[in-house]
Amino acid sequence: MDQTLTATLDRRAGLTVLTLVGDIDHDARPMLDRLLAGLPEPLGRIRVDMRGVAFMDSAGLHFLAELHRRQSGGGDGAPTLVGIRQQPADVLRMTGMDALLTMAA
């Protein structure tokens, strides 16, 4: 069952929290590109709440890689993913992206 992706952005005290709900797939790519383009500079620390994401494909990998590139370029370390579910975690492990990102409960 496809679930359209929604995203909310909350910025507080140098921390950017992105909350994603739905499937991160090819259909979500235009929205993810707009989200990336609208992120504040300097980005600061990034936390991505993925509790509401049951499915992720290469569109999600691209999005997370770009977040990592932007955040590490600013010296703030890797983005932290919270609440990551099984399928997205498996995709990150299979591709080695789990080594670039911080995963927290």
Side-chain angles (χ1 to χ4, degrees):
M1 177 169 88
D2 287 342
Q3 185 181 10
T4 302
L5 183 68
T6 61
T8 57
L9 174 70
D10 185 25
R11 176 118 177 166
R12 51 191 126 133
L15 174 65
T16 300
V17 179
L18 298 172
T19 302
L20 303 175
V21 176
D23 293 340
I24 304 177
D25 57 16
H26 176 75
D27 292 338
R29 184 73 188 266
M31 190 272 288
L32 293 171
D33 290 343
R34 285 190 304 276
L35 181 61
L36 286 169
L39 288 175
E41 294 291 336
L43 197 51
R45 294 171 305 147
I46 302 170
R47 181 177 305 142
V48 183
D49 183 340
M50 295 186 62
R51 283 179 282 234
V53 176
F55 176 82
M56 181 177 78
D57 66 13
S58 62
L61 293 173
H62 173 80
F63 175 75
L64 294 173
E66 181 62 15
L67 278 180
H68 177 267
R69 184 190 70 75
R70 289 184 185 195
Q71 187 172 22
S72 61
D76 289 310
T80 300
L81 307 181
V82 296
I84 191 156
R85 293 166 71 175
Q86 188 66 45
Q87 191 276 342
D90 290 345
V91 169
L92 291 169
R93 276 191 291 280
M94 286 188 291
T95 60
M97 285 279 298
D98 60 329
L100 298 176
L101 305 165
T102 302
M103 291 195 244

mmCIF file with all atom_site columns, all heavy atoms in Angstrom, residues 56-72:
data_model
loop_
_atom_site.group_PDB
_atom_site.id
_atom_site.type_symbol
_atom_site.label_atom_id
_atom_site.label_alt_id
_atom_site.label_comp_id
_atom_site.label_asym_id
_atom_site.label_entity_id
_atom_site.label_seq_id
_atom_site.pdbx_PDB_ins_code
_atom_site.Cartn_x
_atom_site.Cartn_y
_atom_site.Cartn_z
_atom_site.occupancy
_atom_site.B_iso_or_equiv
_atom_site.pdbx_formal_charge
_atom_site.auth_seq_id
_atom_site.auth_comp_id
_atom_site.auth_asym_id
_atom_site.auth_atom_id
_atom_site.pdbx_PDB_model_num
ATOM 1   N N   . MET A 1 56 ? 11.333 2.516  1.990  1.00 0.00 ? 56 MET A N   1
ATOM 2   C CA  . MET A 1 56 ? 12.271 3.466  1.405  1.00 0.00 ? 56 MET A CA  1
ATOM 3   C C   . MET A 1 56 ? 13.020 2.776  0.272  1.00 0.00 ? 56 MET A C   1
ATOM 4   O O   . MET A 1 56 ? 13.447 1.633  0.408  1.00 0.00 ? 56 MET A O   1
ATOM 5   C CB  . MET A 1 56 ? 13.265 3.956  2.461  1.00 0.00 ? 56 MET A CB  1
ATOM 6   C CG  . MET A 1 56 ? 14.252 4.967  1.940  1.00 0.00 ? 56 MET A CG  1
ATOM 7   S SD  . MET A 1 56 ? 15.351 5.600  3.226  1.00 0.00 ? 56 MET A SD  1
ATOM 8   C CE  . MET A 1 56 ? 16.512 4.239  3.376  1.00 0.00 ? 56 MET A CE  1
ATOM 9   N N   . ASP A 1 57 ? 13.179 3.499  -0.855 1.00 0.00 ? 57 ASP A N   1
ATOM 10  C CA  . ASP A 1 57 ? 13.981 2.980  -1.959 1.00 0.00 ? 57 ASP A CA  1
ATOM 11  C C   . ASP A 1 57 ? 15.139 3.942  -2.230 1.00 0.00 ? 57 ASP A C   1
ATOM 12  O O   . ASP A 1 57 ? 15.530 4.715  -1.351 1.00 0.00 ? 57 ASP A O   1
ATOM 13  C CB  . ASP A 1 57 ? 13.120 2.704  -3.203 1.00 0.00 ? 57 ASP A CB  1
ATOM 14  C CG  . ASP A 1 57 ? 12.526 3.950  -3.842 1.00 0.00 ? 57 ASP A CG  1
ATOM 15  O OD1 . ASP A 1 57 ? 12.934 5.084  -3.504 1.00 0.00 ? 57 ASP A OD1 1
ATOM 16  O OD2 . ASP A 1 57 ? 11.650 3.797  -4.710 1.00 0.00 ? 57 ASP A OD2 1
ATOM 17  N N   . SER A 1 58 ? 15.678 3.928  -3.444 1.00 0.00 ? 58 SER A N   1
ATOM 18  C CA  . SER A 1 58 ? 16.844 4.745  -3.773 1.00 0.00 ? 58 SER A CA  1
ATOM 19  C C   . SER A 1 58 ? 16.575 6.241  -3.636 1.00 0.00 ? 58 SER A C   1
ATOM 20  O O   . SER A 1 58 ? 17.508 7.026  -3.415 1.00 0.00 ? 58 SER A O   1
ATOM 21  C CB  . SER A 1 58 ? 17.346 4.424  -5.178 1.00 0.00 ? 58 SER A CB  1
ATOM 22  O OG  . SER A 1 58 ? 16.352 4.714  -6.143 1.00 0.00 ? 58 SER A OG  1
ATOM 23  N N   . ALA A 1 59 ? 15.322 6.669  -3.740 1.00 0.00 ? 59 ALA A N   1
ATOM 24  C CA  . ALA A 1 59 ? 15.008 8.084  -3.537 1.00 0.00 ? 59 ALA A CA  1
ATOM 25  C C   . ALA A 1 59 ? 15.370 8.500  -2.110 1.00 0.00 ? 59 ALA A C   1
ATOM 26  O O   . ALA A 1 59 ? 15.888 9.593  -1.883 1.00 0.00 ? 59 ALA A O   1
ATOM 27  C CB  . ALA A 1 59 ? 13.535 8.354  -3.815 1.00 0.00 ? 59 ALA A CB  1
ATOM 28  N N   . GLY A 1 60 ? 15.104 7.630  -1.157 1.00 0.00 ? 60 GLY A N   1
ATOM 29  C CA  . GLY A 1 60 ? 15.464 7.906  0.232  1.00 0.00 ? 60 GLY A CA  1
ATOM 30  C C   . GLY A 1 60 ? 16.965 7.902  0.436  1.00 0.00 ? 60 GLY A C   1
ATOM 31  O O   . GLY A 1 60 ? 17.500 8.727  1.184  1.00 0.00 ? 60 GLY A O   1
ATOM 32  N N   . LEU A 1 61 ? 17.657 6.980  -0.229 1.00 0.00 ? 61 LEU A N   1
ATOM 33  C CA  . LEU A 1 61 ? 19.119 6.953  -0.134 1.00 0.00 ? 61 LEU A CA  1
ATOM 34  C C   . LEU A 1 61 ? 19.718 8.254  -0.665 1.00 0.00 ? 61 LEU A C   1
ATOM 35  O O   . LEU A 1 61 ? 20.620 8.832  -0.051 1.00 0.00 ? 61 LEU A O   1
ATOM 36  C CB  . LEU A 1 61 ? 19.682 5.763  -0.905 1.00 0.00 ? 61 LEU A CB  1
ATOM 37  C CG  . LEU A 1 61 ? 19.350 4.387  -0.344 1.00 0.00 ? 61 LEU A CG  1
ATOM 38  C CD1 . LEU A 1 61 ? 19.830 3.303  -1.295 1.00 0.00 ? 61 LEU A CD1 1
ATOM 39  C CD2 . LEU A 1 61 ? 19.962 4.204  1.040  1.00 0.00 ? 61 LEU A CD2 1
ATOM 40  N N   . HIS A 1 62 ? 19.208 8.710  -1.800 1.00 0.00 ? 62 HIS A N   1
ATOM 41  C CA  . HIS A 1 62 ? 19.694 9.965  -2.379 1.00 0.00 ? 62 HIS A CA  1
ATOM 42  C C   . HIS A 1 62 ? 19.456 11.129 -1.413 1.00 0.00 ? 62 HIS A C   1
ATOM 43  O O   . HIS A 1 62 ? 20.348 11.951 -1.173 1.00 0.00 ? 62 HIS A O   1
ATOM 44  C CB  . HIS A 1 62 ? 19.004 10.231 -3.720 1.00 0.00 ? 62 HIS A CB  1
ATOM 45  C CG  . HIS A 1 62 ? 19.316 11.567 -4.288 1.00 0.00 ? 62 HIS A CG  1
ATOM 46  N ND1 . HIS A 1 62 ? 20.490 11.824 -4.963 1.00 0.00 ? 62 HIS A ND1 1
ATOM 47  C CD2 . HIS A 1 62 ? 18.620 12.720 -4.257 1.00 0.00 ? 62 HIS A CD2 1
ATOM 48  C CE1 . HIS A 1 62 ? 20.500 13.098 -5.324 1.00 0.00 ? 62 HIS A CE1 1
ATOM 49  N NE2 . HIS A 1 62 ? 19.375 13.658 -4.911 1.00 0.00 ? 62 HIS A NE2 1
ATOM 50  N N   . PHE A 1 63 ? 18.262 11.207 -0.862 1.00 0.00 ? 63 PHE A N   1
ATOM 51  C CA  . PHE A 1 63 ? 17.908 12.271 0.067  1.00 0.00 ? 63 PHE A CA  1
ATOM 52  C C   . PHE A 1 63 ? 18.826 12.259 1.288  1.00 0.00 ? 63 PHE A C   1
ATOM 53  O O   . PHE A 1 63 ? 19.381 13.297 1.677  1.00 0.00 ? 63 PHE A O   1
ATOM 54  C CB  . PHE A 1 63 ? 16.448 12.107 0.486  1.00 0.00 ? 63 PHE A CB  1
ATOM 55  C CG  . PHE A 1 63 ? 15.999 13.081 1.523  1.00 0.00 ? 63 PHE A CG  1
ATOM 56  C CD1 . PHE A 1 63 ? 15.757 14.402 1.193  1.00 0.00 ? 63 PHE A CD1 1
ATOM 57  C CD2 . PHE A 1 63 ? 15.799 12.671 2.836  1.00 0.00 ? 63 PHE A CD2 1
ATOM 58  C CE1 . PHE A 1 63 ? 15.335 15.308 2.160  1.00 0.00 ? 63 PHE A CE1 1
ATOM 59  C CE2 . PHE A 1 63 ? 15.375 13.573 3.798  1.00 0.00 ? 63 PHE A CE2 1
ATOM 60  C CZ  . PHE A 1 63 ? 15.140 14.895 3.463  1.00 0.00 ? 63 PHE A CZ  1
ATOM 61  N N   . LEU A 1 64 ? 19.008 11.092 1.890  1.00 0.00 ? 64 LEU A N   1
ATOM 62  C CA  . LEU A 1 64 ? 19.845 10.996 3.088  1.00 0.00 ? 64 LEU A CA  1
ATOM 63  C C   . LEU A 1 64 ? 21.314 11.266 2.772  1.00 0.00 ? 64 LEU A C   1
ATOM 64  O O   . LEU A 1 64 ? 22.021 11.878 3.579  1.00 0.00 ? 64 LEU A O   1
ATOM 65  C CB  . LEU A 1 64 ? 19.663 9.632  3.746  1.00 0.00 ? 64 LEU A CB  1
ATOM 66  C CG  . LEU A 1 64 ? 18.262 9.387  4.332  1.00 0.00 ? 64 LEU A CG  1
ATOM 67  C CD1 . LEU A 1 64 ? 18.133 7.939  4.797  1.00 0.00 ? 64 LEU A CD1 1
ATOM 68  C CD2 . LEU A 1 64 ? 17.958 10.365 5.464  1.00 0.00 ? 64 LEU A CD2 1
ATOM 69  N N   . ALA A 1 65 ? 21.780 10.841 1.592  1.00 0.00 ? 65 ALA A N   1
ATOM 70  C CA  . ALA A 1 65 ? 23.165 11.127 1.194  1.00 0.00 ? 65 ALA A CA  1
ATOM 71  C C   . ALA A 1 65 ? 23.373 12.631 1.031  1.00 0.00 ? 65 ALA A C   1
ATOM 72  O O   . ALA A 1 65 ? 24.418 13.177 1.422  1.00 0.00 ? 65 ALA A O   1
ATOM 73  C CB  . ALA A 1 65 ? 23.510 10.391 -0.101 1.00 0.00 ? 65 ALA A CB  1
ATOM 74  N N   . GLU A 1 66 ? 22.392 13.317 0.465  1.00 0.00 ? 66 GLU A N   1
ATOM 75  C CA  . GLU A 1 66 ? 22.501 14.770 0.304  1.00 0.00 ? 66 GLU A CA  1
ATOM 76  C C   . GLU A 1 66 ? 22.468 15.472 1.660  1.00 0.00 ? 66 GLU A C   1
ATOM 77  O O   . GLU A 1 66 ? 23.214 16.425 1.886  1.00 0.00 ? 66 GLU A O   1
ATOM 78  C CB  . GLU A 1 66 ? 21.393 15.289 -0.612 1.00 0.00 ? 66 GLU A CB  1
ATOM 79  C CG  . GLU A 1 66 ? 21.442 16.773 -0.849 1.00 0.00 ? 66 GLU A CG  1
ATOM 80  C CD  . GLU A 1 66 ? 22.701 17.277 -1.542 1.00 0.00 ? 66 GLU A CD  1
ATOM 81  O OE1 . GLU A 1 66 ? 23.452 16.464 -2.123 1.00 0.00 ? 66 GLU A OE1 1
ATOM 82  O OE2 . GLU A 1 66 ? 22.936 18.499 -1.499 1.00 0.00 ? 66 GLU A OE2 1
ATOM 83  N N   . LEU A 1 67 ? 21.624 15.018 2.571  1.00 0.00 ? 67 LEU A N   1
ATOM 84  C CA  . LEU A 1 67 ? 21.627 15.573 3.927  1.00 0.00 ? 67 LEU A CA  1
ATOM 85  C C   . LEU A 1 67 ? 22.994 15.388 4.575  1.00 0.00 ? 67 LEU A C   1
ATOM 86  O O   . LEU A 1 67 ? 23.530 16.301 5.204  1.00 0.00 ? 67 LEU A O   1
ATOM 87  C CB  . LEU A 1 67 ? 20.569 14.901 4.799  1.00 0.00 ? 67 LEU A CB  1
ATOM 88  C CG  . LEU A 1 67 ? 19.139 15.372 4.692  1.00 0.00 ? 67 LEU A CG  1
ATOM 89  C CD1 . LEU A 1 67 ? 18.257 14.577 5.650  1.00 0.00 ? 67 LEU A CD1 1
ATOM 90  C CD2 . LEU A 1 67 ? 19.004 16.857 4.967  1.00 0.00 ? 67 LEU A CD2 1
ATOM 91  N N   . HIS A 1 68 ? 23.555 14.193 4.414  1.00 0.00 ? 68 HIS A N   1
ATOM 92  C CA  . HIS A 1 68 ? 24.875 13.912 4.982  1.00 0.00 ? 68 HIS A CA  1
ATOM 93  C C   . HIS A 1 68 ? 25.927 14.839 4.385  1.00 0.00 ? 68 HIS A C   1
ATOM 94  O O   . HIS A 1 68 ? 26.746 15.411 5.099  1.00 0.00 ? 68 HIS A O   1
ATOM 95  C CB  . HIS A 1 68 ? 25.257 12.448 4.731  1.00 0.00 ? 68 HIS A CB  1
ATOM 96  C CG  . HIS A 1 68 ? 26.626 12.127 5.227  1.00 0.00 ? 68 HIS A CG  1
ATOM 97  N ND1 . HIS A 1 68 ? 27.736 12.206 4.407  1.00 0.00 ? 68 HIS A ND1 1
ATOM 98  C CD2 . HIS A 1 68 ? 27.072 11.762 6.449  1.00 0.00 ? 68 HIS A CD2 1
ATOM 99  C CE1 . HIS A 1 68 ? 28.803 11.889 5.109  1.00 0.00 ? 68 HIS A CE1 1
ATOM 100 N NE2 . HIS A 1 68 ? 28.417 11.613 6.347  1.00 0.00 ? 68 HIS A NE2 1
ATOM 101 N N   . ARG A 1 69 ? 25.890 15.022 3.072  1.00 0.00 ? 69 ARG A N   1
ATOM 102 C CA  . ARG A 1 69 ? 26.866 15.891 2.408  1.00 0.00 ? 69 ARG A CA  1
ATOM 103 C C   . ARG A 1 69 ? 26.760 17.317 2.939  1.00 0.00 ? 69 ARG A C   1
ATOM 104 O O   . ARG A 1 69 ? 27.759 17.943 3.284  1.00 0.00 ? 69 ARG A O   1
ATOM 105 C CB  . ARG A 1 69 ? 26.649 15.877 0.900  1.00 0.00 ? 69 ARG A CB  1
ATOM 106 C CG  . ARG A 1 69 ? 27.691 16.695 0.125  1.00 0.00 ? 69 ARG A CG  1
ATOM 107 C CD  . ARG A 1 69 ? 27.321 16.857 -1.332 1.00 0.00 ? 69 ARG A CD  1
ATOM 108 N NE  . ARG A 1 69 ? 26.184 17.740 -1.532 1.00 0.00 ? 69 ARG A NE  1
ATOM 109 C CZ  . ARG A 1 69 ? 26.216 19.077 -1.427 1.00 0.00 ? 69 ARG A CZ  1
ATOM 110 N NH1 . ARG A 1 69 ? 27.330 19.680 -1.097 1.00 0.00 ? 69 ARG A NH1 1
ATOM 111 N NH2 . ARG A 1 69 ? 25.125 19.788 -1.654 1.00 0.00 ? 69 ARG A NH2 1
ATOM 112 N N   . ARG A 1 70 ? 25.559 17.824 3.038  1.00 0.00 ? 70 ARG A N   1
ATOM 113 C CA  . ARG A 1 70 ? 25.358 19.193 3.517  1.00 0.00 ? 70 ARG A CA  1
ATOM 114 C C   . ARG A 1 70 ? 25.761 19.360 4.977  1.00 0.00 ? 70 ARG A C   1
ATOM 115 O O   . ARG A 1 70 ? 26.384 20.348 5.344  1.00 0.00 ? 70 ARG A O   1
ATOM 116 C CB  . ARG A 1 70 ? 23.910 19.611 3.343  1.00 0.00 ? 70 ARG A CB  1
ATOM 117 C CG  . ARG A 1 70 ? 23.546 19.830 1.904  1.00 0.00 ? 70 ARG A CG  1
ATOM 118 C CD  . ARG A 1 70 ? 22.143 20.340 1.815  1.00 0.00 ? 70 ARG A CD  1
ATOM 119 N NE  . ARG A 1 70 ? 21.722 20.441 0.439  1.00 0.00 ? 70 ARG A NE  1
ATOM 120 C CZ  . ARG A 1 70 ? 20.662 21.118 0.063  1.00 0.00 ? 70 ARG A CZ  1
ATOM 121 N NH1 . ARG A 1 70 ? 19.925 21.747 0.944  1.00 0.00 ? 70 ARG A NH1 1
ATOM 122 N NH2 . ARG A 1 70 ? 20.327 21.159 -1.205 1.00 0.00 ? 70 ARG A NH2 1
ATOM 123 N N   . GLN A 1 71 ? 25.387 18.404 5.803  1.00 0.00 ? 71 GLN A N   1
ATOM 124 C CA  . GLN A 1 71 ? 25.700 18.545 7.220  1.00 0.00 ? 71 GLN A CA  1
ATOM 125 C C   . GLN A 1 71 ? 27.182 18.347 7.484  1.00 0.00 ? 71 GLN A C   1
ATOM 126 O O   . GLN A 1 71 ? 27.778 19.101 8.234  1.00 0.00 ? 71 GLN A O   1
ATOM 127 C CB  . GLN A 1 71 ? 24.883 17.569 8.070  1.00 0.00 ? 71 GLN A CB  1
ATOM 128 C CG  . GLN A 1 71 ? 25.083 17.834 9.554  1.00 0.00 ? 71 GLN A CG  1
ATOM 129 C CD  . GLN A 1 71 ? 24.167 17.026 10.431 1.00 0.00 ? 71 GLN A CD  1
ATOM 130 O OE1 . GLN A 1 71 ? 23.661 15.998 10.028 1.00 0.00 ? 71 GLN A OE1 1
ATOM 131 N NE2 . GLN A 1 71 ? 23.952 17.484 11.637 1.00 0.00 ? 71 GLN A NE2 1
ATOM 132 N N   . SER A 1 72 ? 27.802 17.352 6.870  1.00 0.00 ? 72 SER A N   1
ATOM 133 C CA  . SER A 1 72 ? 29.220 17.119 7.124  1.00 0.00 ? 72 SER A CA  1
ATOM 134 C C   . SER A 1 72 ? 30.065 18.250 6.563  1.00 0.00 ? 72 SER A C   1
ATOM 135 O O   . SER A 1 72 ? 31.122 18.556 7.086  1.00 0.00 ? 72 SER A O   1
ATOM 136 C CB  . SER A 1 72 ? 29.661 15.764 6.571  1.00 0.00 ? 72 SER A CB  1
ATOM 137 O OG  . SER A 1 72 ? 29.483 15.707 5.177  1.00 0.00 ? 72 SER A OG  1
#
